Amino acid sequence: MSRESGSEIRPRPASIRDVARLAGVSHQTVSRVLNGHPSIRDVTKSRVLAAMDELQFRPSRAARMLSTQRSQTIGVLAAAVGSHYGPASSVSAVEDAARARGFYATVAHLASVAPGAITAAIEELLSQNVEGIVIVAPRTTVLSRLAALSMNVPIVAAQGEQSDAGGIPVVSINQETGVRMVLEYLIGRGHKRILHVAGPPDWNDAQSRLRAYQAELRAAGLPPAPPLFGDWTADSGYELGRALVSDTGPGDLPFTAVFSSNDQMALGLIHAFREAGLDVPRDVSIVGFDDIPESAHFWPPLTTVRQEFSQVGEECVAMLVEAIGRSDGLAYRPTLVTDRVPVVEPRLIVRGSVAPA
């Protein structure tokens, strides 16, 4: 374009040969600096890096792949990300952690949990030469299917039960600890009739929280009530809440507190209870799980369990990078990704949705 048109001609980006010319070295030396070759002297490396800064040189991803025969890419297999806070937060955390370590992240979304859809998503990632895969699909059917597939890259799952993962390492948040903190807090406030609104039965975390709820109440000498199952949405919590309070008054409720398996369902419960004329927390206390950003602004502000999804993402990527670094082109077995499988601890966040029984 001409300058008369009002557009400015932009100079072309600096190339590896431009850097070599300014630094007074060969372009092969610049390539070795980019790839961290140990034979480069410190003084030469400093000259090359200074030339890169001066020319604002940015090595292209394609060129680096050609020179290293590595994609520097981590794949993410994601299911049900949409409105579900936990999986969506885990995907973002993996992307951030990969970027911080100099890797790219490419995401393949599962259309369904059917075996064909799972295989197709994995093939999509492998076709992009990913060097490792993080599974953010916390459903038993997905992990069991993946464990049966033959793959030559390391795999790590974000969230789930290690016992249900078929040998795939799982970086998990300690669900039992989170539930224990909820029930100890409620029982400490005098609640003995505690209802549980669980997530979908085929979700790993929903099952973990349900089992922990039942075990903790039995350990306290209290009978666990039969669970009610929602689908993680506020709408399902609202419908369950309406059913719970139909034809009952504040003094007739068979429970004094509800432990909801996530914050969105807790929001629906609060709506239904208030609509029925109940006061939260005076008539019924509610505790959630996840600590979504909006939970501090529910009315009343929600007591809940905070899950550190950013730490889960960091641990998953750290495990993959460790495995990639010692691969030497060998085939992987998922169980040999790493000897350490970290567990992230949650925190109880106390707000205003619980009152003494």
Side-chain angles (χ1 to χ4, degrees):
M1 290 185 179
S2 66
R3 292 186 181 276
E4 287 76 8
S5 65
S7 297
E8 184 177 326
I9 300 175
R10 295 182 179 180
R12 65 173 178 81
S15 70
I16 193 170
R17 293 184 183 277
D18 295 327
V19 174
R21 193 176 301 112
L22 181 61
V25 298
S26 68
H27 69 274
Q28 292 93 339
T29 298
V30 176
S31 179
R32 292 189 185 100
V33 171
L34 286 171
N35 296 324
H37 200 284
S39 67
I40 302 299
R41 294 184 303 164
D42 288 343
V43 63
T44 303
K45 181 180 178 180
S46 296
R47 287 212 316 272
V48 170
L49 293 177
M52 289 180 185
D53 286 341
E54 184 174 338
L55 295 173
Q56 296 184 337
F57 172 75
R58 299 292 181 269
S60 73
R61 182 185 180 194
R64 179 165 287 185
M65 287 178 64
L66 286 172
S67 65
T68 65
Q69 300 299 307
R70 292 182 53 188
S71 68
Q72 290 287 110
T73 302
I74 288 174
V76 183
L77 180 66
V81 171
S83 62
H84 298 303
Y85 178 73
S89 298
S90 296
V91 170
S92 296
V94 170
E95 290 176 319
D96 292 343
R99 191 179 305 111
R101 288 176 174 265
F103 281 74
Y104 300 87
T106 180
V107 182
H109 294 282
L110 280 176
S112 72
V113 294
I118 296 170
T119 302
I122 287 293
E123 289 176 349
E124 177 188 339
L125 292 175
L126 294 177
S127 71
Q128 300 177 61
N129 296 316
V130 297
E131 298 189 63
I133 298 175
V134 179
I135 310 301
V136 186
R139 300 172 76 169
T140 306
T141 50
V142 176
L143 289 181
S144 61
R145 173 62 181 169
L146 289 170
L149 296 178
S150 177
M151 285 178 274
N152 64 344
V153 298
I155 309 169
V156 176
Q159 291 293 85
E161 289 283 346
Q162 187 65 65
S163 58
D164 298 330
I168 296 174
V170 178
V171 179
S172 60
I173 294 172
N174 195 327
Q175 304 297 310
E176 290 80 4
T177 296
V179 174
R180 184 180 306 119
M181 290 188 296
V182 168
L183 294 179
E184 286 180 350
Y185 180 67
L186 288 172
I187 293 170
R189 304 299 300 272
H191 293 278
K192 297 182 179 180
R193 294 175 293 153
I194 304 169
L195 184 67
H196 181 45
V197 172
D202 63 332
W203 283 66
N204 296 324
D205 288 348
Q207 283 300 306
S208 297
R209 292 166 202 168
L210 173 56
R211 287 194 295 266
Y213 158 80
Q214 294 168 334
E216 288 300 318
L217 283 188
R218 290 193 184 101
L222 300 174
L228 302 172
F229 293 96
D231 64 6
W232 297 128
T233 67
D235 285 343
S236 71
Y238 174 72
E239 293 301 329
L240 289 170
R242 289 185 64 188
L244 284 170
V245 296
S246 62
D247 302 324
T248 61
D252 301 325
L253 292 175
F255 54 89
T256 61
V258 181
F259 163 42
S260 173
S261 196
N262 79 333
D263 291 352
Q264 284 97 337
M265 292 192 299
L267 175 61
L269 289 166
I270 293 172
H271 181 188
F273 292 161
R274 285 189 171 279
E275 189 175 75
L278 299 174
D279 183 272
V280 179
R282 187 183 65 214
D283 296 322
V284 58
S285 294
I286 298 179
V287 179
F289 213 96
D290 278 345
D291 193 30
I292 64 175
E294 298 83 4
S295 63
H297 306 289
F298 289 4
W299 189 253
L302 186 66
T303 293
T304 184
V305 174
R306 177 174 298 168
Q307 302 199 82
E308 302 293 350
F309 294 109
S310 61
Q311 190 175 345
V312 171
E314 290 167 4
E315 293 285 2
C316 285
V317 172
M319 290 170 66
L320 285 189
V321 171
E322 178 183 336
I324 291 166
R326 54 184 170 84
S327 65
D328 295 326
L330 300 177
Y332 292 97
R333 286 175 54 199
T335 52
L336 298 181
V337 167
T338 182
D339 294 329
R340 65 177 185 88
V341 180
V343 176
V344 178
E345 295 300 328
R347 290 192 292 149
L348 181 68
I349 307 299
V350 176
R351 297 192 179 104
S353 62
V354 174

